[in-house]
């Protein structure tokens, strides 16, 4: 067991290295960089001649090390990350990339975790209901709704809900996390209510698919467990149905869902991404999207790297958790 | 023991096979029993037919621009005229543009003075299936009338025709991507499990490496790297390759697991024993026995890729206009005010949902049916 | 069987060790000695029965001989139809392929040994295609003949294996093995998965085929009664090693190894006059990863003496090609079976 853990952890190091290289290369793939855009801006708006603007931009390139070859740029980037926690400079926000990400990560996590928590709880409850009432009307209905939930593209769910709120229920302001008049206000009760009125929308939108997925997984697992010998034995020896259900069946059916928690984080972060872009939330998703579109290379690369690292570590944790809770897995 | 005494040498009595059903028959029987699977299959078939024969189902050219008809709303099909008289042949009214005298808003009203009955198999705009000029369309109205069942987009193009055309693109990109992914996934999974050892180690590390990346951000970053100067066809192929090359890992894992268990079975050993080459064992023994798994996952990859394509295109990172796909069509809905005033521009979204639902139903039904020996 | 017959297959010092790894760097900490220094020979046209408890390495030995798994060490000499003697363990893959025409295998599990996605025709005809000995219509004709030989109606050659019963499937497997006119057939427990009534039919078929096609069998079984009738000679295996080899009658009636005696006593005999005295073996079959020192059988042997745990007895000819691996082979008078 211990050697399994050590081997698994040792293996993550080269993986992280390879992953960081690929993140960097992908982000550098599009032709040109952020300064190309500045160059044309200088020409058209500041009225500089072609030569002057190129000279200015070349100088900027030098200061930010963009004139160096890609491998050298990568080495500088990764060295600063590892030694100083410095992810590089974001041209778009005119400050270090990690600052942009950190200040937006707070809301990302709050929204993502709320959506995840609610979707897991609701999904599990519906799943247990469905499995214990197999083939009932409620089971059919929730199974069908789960299918529908999985068939909606997230951006479309967002569009539909926004449309309904604005044009059917006449909600005055949708999008973002607060109405314009509260943006600069200090926190008080009214602002909090306004915040809640905005907050539930992205949570529900990004939670829909999660509810459907968890419900289906729970239902299928529980039905499998019901057919297993030990549940039949538990029933045969006269245990109360409640005890059979919660002490024997549910606990075992939860295994895959618990194991999933390790990798859930990056999925929920990217799950709220599209919603956040459509609703224009102050989270990492829209920042990443803008960084991609405007070639704010280091910001986009840093974000991609961070999510990837979280995913790699999540995978590791999930493997270890599964190894820990499931005694049937062998380690050599 | 008693073997010697039991000798009964009936040389010419041949053994008859016991009755048993072929695998395909069992699968089909189980599949038929699931109502959702049948509904899914029907939805998928309808969407496929609409996409394949898109121009035939479109009375108007999806690319023809008419600025005067910008955002003209859908026309309703009537059976009763304004006097309440029933007509067996359904008809439509033309739309008249009026300005509201108070608000100066553009309002479309039905011009009930003239009915335009709908005729089937009529001649209209020319299209060229396989290079043969053809003017036949499923339905249409006589000259002077128009039939825009889903209204018009910003540039006054028929949305119905654009949805048909967009379906062609959305479905084919997802289908080709899924086939590519199934091909790579099944080859990698089979080779990995069959050869084992160092080959397995390397391939598994590649799989894990690819699975380390978060799907959506990676796809966004890669699709934005597709040069804007490329032609529509190249962009289409690039996105398709992107889907195929990045979505095969779950299948590879599943096929690997299946082949690992198959490899232990004696019939694979019997092939080796007969001197069969590795290629023969892979293509005649391993892949055919994994085929049901591969088909199920292929069916479930398609809806996933439809969702991915529409999301990327909606965000402006995937296919670009003038290319038409359901996601591209929904770009117009990005502005909430536009969508609020012209709700019909969200209709492509309904097509996405229905198609994805159909594939999910079908894939789920196939998964249950593919294992007919289990009692589920 | 005539002892003057030439030797078709000779196994010398064959080993198959599976490494056991442990730790972060998967250090090899030991070996499962599935086949350990086995010596055997089979004469042209005879049947050698190989018996032993399950897990003793019989199947591994059979597969190592055909190089379906790579042996760790040792030699396997085979005399080809052209009269050349070849060491199979040293051959290139290409050379083995041509040898596979002469050495075929019949598998144990009739349900798992036929590809469920191929028709009977494809299964039986496949070796012909692989070795390019027939094509097109010829294959069909040959398959038809083969099916008739094994007692199956060729009318059903387009059907899939799951439509047949266990015995019928085993006949299909036999037809497949015969397709290329082999000289040696290794039958790996060909009847142990079948009903007793069907077992007899299949064994009889195998005997008939031996006469008809001049086949040589290595017949692997865990059931002594099955092996007795078909074998000319018997080899007894225990935890990867050969314990006793000899003429079938000699081994059965006068076993010289205590393990063989214990195996014999487990065979039910239908004779009211014989006093059934079963020798119950103490303990379990030892783990081949951690075999006992000296004679591997000594912890369970009721005659064991001190030397047995210290020194491993070699497999020695005690006369008349009767080989025994026991320090006291000449000292005991062990009980065999007079008749079945």
């Amino acid at each position: 067991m211990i050697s399994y853990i050590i081997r698994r952890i040792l293996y993550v190091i080269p993986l992280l290295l390879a992953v960081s290289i690929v993140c960097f290369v992908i982000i550098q793939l599009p032709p040109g960089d952020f300064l190309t855009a500045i160059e044309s801006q200088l020409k058209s708006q500041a009225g500089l001649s072609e030569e002057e603007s190129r000279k200015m931009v070349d100088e900027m390139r030098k200061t930010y090390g963009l004139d160096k070859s890609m491998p050298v740029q990568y080495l500088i980037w990764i060295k600063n990350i590892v030694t100083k926690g410095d992810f590089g400079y974001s041209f778009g926000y005119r400050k270090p990339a990690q600052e942009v990400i950190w200040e937006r990560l707070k809301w990302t996590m709050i929204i993502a975790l709320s959506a995840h928590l609610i979707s897991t709880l609701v999904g599990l409850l519906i799943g247990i209901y469905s499995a214990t009432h197999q083939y009932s009307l409620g089971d059919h209905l929730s199974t069908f709704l789960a299918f529908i939930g999985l068939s909606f593209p997230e951006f479309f769910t967002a569009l539909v809900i926004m449309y309904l709120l604005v044009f059917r229920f006449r909600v005055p302001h949708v999008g973002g996390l607060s109405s314009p008049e509260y943006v600069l206000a200090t926190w008080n009760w009214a602002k909090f209510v306004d915040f809640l009125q905005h907050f539930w929308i992205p949570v529900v939108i990004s939670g829909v698919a999660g509810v459907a997925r968890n419900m289906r997984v729970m239902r299928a697992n529980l039905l499998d467990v019901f057919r297993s010998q030990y549940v039949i034995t538990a029933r045969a020896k006269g245990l109360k149905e409640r005890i059979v259900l919660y002490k024997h069946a549910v606990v075992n059916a939860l295994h895959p869902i618990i194991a999933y928690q390790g990798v859930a984080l990056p999925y929920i972060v990217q799950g709220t991404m599209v919603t956040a872009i459509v609703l224009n939330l102050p989270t990492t998703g829209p920042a990443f999207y803008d960084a991609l579109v405007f070639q704010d290379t280091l910001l986009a690369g840093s974000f991609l790297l961070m999510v990837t690292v979280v995913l790699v570590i999540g995978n590791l944790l999930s493997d270890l958790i599964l190894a820990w809770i499931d005694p049937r897995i062998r380690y050599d | 023991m008693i073997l010697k005494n039991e000798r009964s040498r009936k040389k010419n009595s041949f053994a008859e096979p016991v009755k048993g059903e072929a695998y395909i028959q069992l699968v089909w029987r189980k599949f038929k029993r699931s109502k959702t699977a049948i509904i899914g299959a029907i939805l998928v078939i309808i969407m496929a037919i609409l996409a394949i024969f898109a121009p035939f189902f479109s009375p108007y050219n999806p690319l023809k621009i008419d600025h005067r008809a910008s955002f003209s709303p859908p026309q309703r099909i009537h059976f009763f005229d304004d006097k309440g008289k029933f007509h067996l042949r359904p008809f439509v009214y033309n739309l008249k543009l009026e300005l509201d005298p108070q608000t100066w808003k553009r309002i479309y009203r039905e011009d009930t003075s003239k009915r335009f009955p709908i005729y089937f198999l009529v001649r209209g705009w020319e299209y060229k299936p396989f290079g043969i000029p053809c003017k036949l369309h499923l339905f249409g109205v006589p000259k002077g009338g128009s039939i825009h069942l889903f209204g018009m987009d910003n540039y006054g193009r028929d949305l119905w025709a654009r949805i048909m055309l967009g379906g062609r693109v959305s479905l084919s990109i997802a289908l080709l991507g899924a086939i590519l992914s199934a091909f790579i996934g099944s080859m990698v999974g089979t080779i990995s499990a069959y050869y084992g050892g160092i080959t397995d180690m390397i391939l598994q590390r590649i799989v894990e490496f690819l699975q380390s990346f978060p799907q959506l951000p990676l796809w966004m970053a890669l699709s934005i790297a597709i040069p804007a100067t490329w032609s529509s066809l190249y962009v289409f192929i690039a996105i398709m390759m992107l889907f195929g090359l990045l979505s095969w890992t779950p299948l590879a894992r599943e096929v690997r697991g299946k082949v690992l268990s198959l490899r232990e079975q004696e019939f694979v050993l019997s092939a080796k024993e007969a001197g069969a080459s590795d290629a023969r064992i892979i293509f005649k023994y391993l892949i055919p026995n994994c085929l049901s798994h591969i088909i199920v996952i292929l069916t479930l990859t398609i809806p996933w890729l439809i969702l991915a394509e529409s999301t990327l295109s909606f965000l402006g990172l995937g296919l670009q206009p003038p290319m038409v796909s359901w996601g591209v069509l929904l770009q117009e809905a990005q502005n909430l005010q536009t969508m609020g005033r012209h709700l019909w521009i969200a209709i492509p979204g309904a097509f996405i949902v229905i198609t994805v639902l159909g594939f999910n139903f079908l894939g789920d039904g196939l998964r249950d049916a593919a294992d007919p020996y289990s009692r589920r | 069987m005539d002892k003057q017959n030439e030797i078709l297959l000779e196994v010398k010092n064959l080993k198959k060790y599976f490494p056991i790894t442990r730790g972060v760097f998967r250090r090899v900490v030991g070996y499962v000695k599935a086949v350990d220094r086995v010596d055997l020979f089979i004469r042209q046209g005879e049947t050698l029965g190989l018996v032993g408890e399950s897990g003793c390495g019989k199947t591994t030995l059979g597969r190592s001989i055909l190089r379906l798994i790579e042996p760790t060490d040792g030699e396997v000499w085979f005399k080809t139809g052209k009269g050349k003697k070849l060491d199979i363990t040293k051959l290139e893959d290409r050379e083995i392929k041509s040898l596979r025409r002469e050495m075929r295998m019949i598998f144990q599990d009739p349900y798992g040994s036929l590809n469920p996605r191929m028709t009977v025709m494809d299964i039986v005809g496949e070796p012909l295609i692989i070795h390019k000995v027939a094509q097109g219509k010829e294959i069909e004709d040959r398959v038809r003949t083969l099916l008739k030989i094994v007692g199956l109606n060729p009318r059903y050659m387009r059907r899939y294996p799951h439509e047949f019963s266990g015995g019928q499937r085993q006949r299909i497997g036999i037809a497949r093995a015969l397709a290329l006119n082999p000289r040696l057939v290794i039958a790996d427990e060909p009847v142990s998965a079948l009903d007793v009534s069907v077992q007899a039919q299949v064994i009889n078929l195998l005997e008939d085929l031996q006469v008809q096609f001049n086949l040589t069998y290595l017949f692997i079984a865990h059931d002594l009664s099955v092996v007795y009738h078909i074998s000319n000679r018997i080899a007894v295996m225990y935890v990867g090693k050969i314990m006793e080899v000899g003429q079938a009658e000699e081994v059965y009636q006068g076993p010289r190894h205590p393990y063989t005696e214990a195996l014999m006593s487990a065979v039910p005999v239908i004779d009211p006059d014989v006093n059934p005295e079963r020798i119950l073996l103490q303990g379990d079959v030892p783990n081949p990863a951690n075999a006992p020192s000296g004679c591997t059988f000594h912890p369970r042997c009721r005659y064991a003496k001190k030397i047995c745990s210290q020194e491993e007895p070699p497999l020695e000819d005690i006369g008349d090609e009767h080989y025994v691996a026991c320090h006291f082979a000449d000292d005991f008078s062990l009980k065999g079976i007079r008749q079945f």
Side-chain angles (χ1 to χ4, degrees), chain C residues 89-331:
Chain C
T89 58
K90 307 287 188 299
L91 294 182
E92 304 278 324
D93 285 357
R94 192 174 34 82
E95 297 166 307
I96 291 182
K97 192 183 162 185
S98 65
L99 259 190
R100 298 228 182 276
R101 295 174 58 167
E102 304 190 39
M103 310 167 63
R104 299 305 308 274
M105 189 164 213
I106 296 169
F107 291 89
Q108 171 177 11
D109 177 10
Y111 293 89
S113 61
L114 305 176
N115 186 350
R117 295 284 181 275
M118 278 163 70
T119 61
V120 172
M121 151 96 189
D122 292 334
I123 291 170
V124 177
E126 191 182 37
L128 302 169
I129 298 170
I130 291 171
H131 293 276
K132 302 192 179 68
V133 284
Q135 45 186 253
K137 189 83 178 99
E138 287 174 88
I139 297 173
E140 207 181 307
D141 292 340
R142 180 89 181 108
V143 172
R144 209 179 292 274
T145 322
L146 283 164
L147 289 180
K148 278 185 199 150
I149 289 171
V150 298
L152 286 171
N153 191 336
R155 216 171 46 180
Y156 301 113
M157 62 200 266
R158 305 270 171 215
R159 300 215 174 176
Y160 288 88
H162 71 263
E163 299 177 54
F164 294 88
S165 68
Q168 290 167 342
R169 283 164 181 239
Q170 204 55 297
R171 287 171 194 260
I172 296 170
I174 294 170
R176 177 178 161 95
L178 289 181
L180 294 167
N181 292 321
R183 295 167 61 233
L184 174 70
V185 172
I186 296 185
D188 183 4
E189 304 205 29
V191 295
S192 50
L194 303 176
D195 292 344
V196 177
S197 60
V198 184
Q199 282 187 355
Q201 295 171 11
V202 172
I203 297 241
N204 292 339
L205 174 67
L206 285 172
E207 282 197 313
D208 293 344
L209 293 172
Q210 180 166 39
V211 176
Q212 205 175 342
F213 298 103
N214 191 23
L215 297 171
T216 307
Y217 287 142
L218 172 60
F219 196 99
I220 301 172
H222 60 252
D223 187 343
L224 278 173
S225 52
V226 168
V227 182
Y228 178 74
H229 293 288
I230 194 165
S231 304
N232 306 102
R233 292 191 305 128
I234 301 267
V236 179
M237 202 169 170
Y238 182 74
V239 199
K241 294 202 173 83
I242 299 291
M243 292 292 161
E244 184 166 6
V245 191
Q247 296 296 322
E249 283 79 16
E250 269 190 52
V251 174
Y252 273 82
Q253 289 165 16
R256 304 298 280 272
H257 195 288
Y259 178 62
T260 316
E261 182 194 34
L263 276 184
M264 297 297 165
S265 76
V267 176
V269 177
I270 303 170
D271 184 347
D273 301 330
V274 174
N275 188 15
E277 189 210 344
R278 288 193 61 181
I279 302 166
L280 280 176
L281 287 176
Q282 304 292 317
D284 287 324
V285 179
N287 180 358
N290 186 20
S293 61
C295 173
T296 37
F297 186 60
H298 85 261
R300 302 172 75 189
C301 181
R302 54 179 186 168
Y303 311 108
K305 300 220 166 76
K306 200 173 168 204
I307 185 174
C308 295
S309 61
Q310 291 160 346
E311 232 172 278
E312 190 186 334
L315 189 65
E316 275 177 334
D317 192 347
I318 57 164
D320 205 18
E321 285 188 351
H322 192 155
Y323 298 84
V324 185
C326 179
H327 292 297
F328 307 103
D330 297 326
D331 304 350

Side-chain angles (χ1 to χ4, degrees), chain A residues 3-4 6-7 10, chain C residues 20-29:
Chain A
S3 80
Y4 169 78
I6 295 172
R7 202 166 52 232
L10 281 183
Chain C
I20 310 165
T21 57
R22 204 162 284 157
V24 179
F25 302 105
R26 297 178 187 268
R27 229 161 359 102
V28 175
V29 293

Side-chain angles (χ1 to χ4, degrees), chain B residues 242-311:
Chain B
L242 204 70
F243 286 164
L245 294 176
L246 292 178
S247 62
W248 53 268
T249 48
L251 178 66
R253 290 209 143 180
E254 186 138 343
V255 169
R256 178 174 176 269
K258 179 84 184 152
V259 171
L260 278 180
S261 73
L262 283 177
R263 207 181 56 165
E264 300 301 312
Q265 299 224 6
E266 279 188 338
F267 69 84
V268 175
L269 200 67
S270 86
K272 201 178 161 197
E273 183 266 337
S277 62
D278 288 343
R280 188 180 188 90
I281 293 176
I282 287 172
F283 289 107
K284 285 240 160 185
Y285 283 73
L286 301 176
I287 301 241
N289 280 288
C290 296
L291 204 59
S292 55
H293 275 64
I294 297 172
I295 290 173
V296 167
I297 294 188
L298 178 75
T299 320
L300 291 170
T301 307
I302 294 172
W304 181 39
L305 293 184
I306 292 176
L307 291 179
E309 184 275 325
S310 66
T311 303

Side-chain angles (χ1 to χ4, degrees), chain B residues 87-115:
Chain B
H87 299 268
L88 188 62
R89 184 176 282 282
F91 61 92
V92 291
Y93 290 122
N94 273 358
L95 294 175
K96 258 192 323 202
L97 179 63
E98 288 172 358
L99 287 182
D100 188 296
Q102 268 121 44
T103 60
W104 293 91
K105 258 182 158 171
R106 281 147 57 109
I107 295 174
Y108 284 92
R109 258 185 233 293
E110 284 190 327
D111 176 7
T112 52
S113 61
K114 193 162 191 303
R115 288 187 295 109

Side-chain angles (χ1 to χ4, degrees), chain B residues 103-148:
Chain B
T103 60
W104 293 91
K105 258 182 158 171
R106 281 147 57 109
I107 295 174
Y108 284 92
R109 258 185 233 293
E110 284 190 327
D111 176 7
T112 52
S113 61
K114 193 162 191 303
R115 288 187 295 109
F116 291 96
I118 298 169
Y119 290 97
F120 292 94
L121 298 176
V122 295
R123 300 174 73 75
W125 62 284
E126 187 180 286
Y127 58 97
K128 288 181 176 163
F130 307 111
I132 309 151
C134 181
K135 286 184 170 178
L136 194 67
H137 297 275
L138 179 66
F139 62 96
V141 291
K143 272 213 159 51
S146 64
I147 176 162
H148 300 294

Side-chain angles (χ1 to χ4, degrees), chain A residues 35-287:
Chain A
L35 294 174
T36 326
I38 292 192
E39 189 180 336
S40 60
Q41 220 174 31
L42 284 174
K43 264 184 285 184
S44 58
Q45 287 170 15
L48 296 182
S49 77
E50 199 157 306
E51 215 159 286
E52 282 172 322
S53 53
R54 186 174 314 135
K55 228 181 119 193
M56 259 187 87
V57 165
D58 278 349
E59 238 159 66
M60 285 171 79
R61 284 221 167 92
K62 222 171 230 164
T63 8
Y64 294 112
L66 292 180
D67 56 335
K68 299 200 174 69
S69 69
M70 209 203 271
V72 175
Q73 285 191 45
Y74 166 76
L75 286 177
I76 295 172
W77 185 59
I78 202 76
K79 195 191 96 198
N80 285 337
I81 290 176
V82 175
T83 55
K84 291 186 261 177
D86 174 11
F87 283 77
Y89 187 77
S90 158
F91 289 104
Y93 291 85
R94 298 183 187 284
K95 52 179 154 182
Q98 69 269 23
E99 276 183 32
V100 180
I101 295 176
W102 282 131
E103 68 193 27
R104 288 173 162 257
L105 202 58
K106 181 180 68 177
W107 286 117
T108 313
M109 296 312 287
I110 292 176
I111 293 172
L113 284 178
S114 319
H116 179 60
L117 205 70
I118 290 173
S119 69
T120 307
L121 272 180
V122 175
L124 291 189
L125 289 178
I126 302 178
I128 293 174
Y129 172 85
S130 244
T132 47
H133 300 75
Q134 205 188 359
Y135 302 133
S136 71
L137 183 66
D139 176 34
H140 280 305
L141 194 69
S142 43
T143 308
F144 182 72
L145 286 180
F147 263 117
I148 301 261
L150 285 175
S151 302
F152 263 76
E154 202 175 306
F155 72 90
F156 193 62
T157 319
L159 285 180
V160 170
I161 289 186
M162 277 167 82
Y163 171 83
L164 290 177
L165 289 175
V166 172
F167 293 95
R168 288 292 130 99
F169 301 107
R170 300 283 161 199
V171 173
H173 183 261
V174 175
L177 281 178
S178 60
S179 305
E181 61 265 32
Y182 288 107
V183 169
L184 295 173
T186 47
W187 281 98
N188 57 22
W189 182 248
K191 180 169 174 163
F192 184 67
V193 171
D194 177 66
F195 163 72
L196 280 188
Q197 276 169 355
H198 285 83
F199 179 68
W200 72 268
I201 302 170
V203 171
V204 166
I205 294 171
S206 40
V208 168
V211 172
R213 208 174 304 117
N214 284 318
M215 177 256 155
R216 278 168 57 84
V217 171
M218 190 63 197
R219 179 177 182 273
N221 288 346
L222 206 49
L223 286 179
D224 270 349
V225 173
F226 280 153
R227 270 188 293 269
S228 61
Q229 301 281 334
Y230 61 85
V231 167
I232 295 171
T233 311
R235 284 204 175 122
K237 71 185 183 193
L239 284 187
K240 285 207 185 82
E241 192 57 32
R242 261 177 119 46
I243 295 174
V244 172
L245 180 61
Y246 291 104
K247 239 186 125 177
H248 293 260
V250 171
V251 171
N252 282 295
L254 274 176
H255 275 189
I257 289 174
I258 293 173
Y260 172 72
Q261 300 310 310
V263 280
L265 190 60
Y267 285 115
I268 48 190
V269 169
Q270 62 172 322
T272 52
M273 215 161 136
V274 176
T275 313
I277 295 170
V278 177
L279 293 176
N280 196 21
L281 302 178
T283 59
T284 47

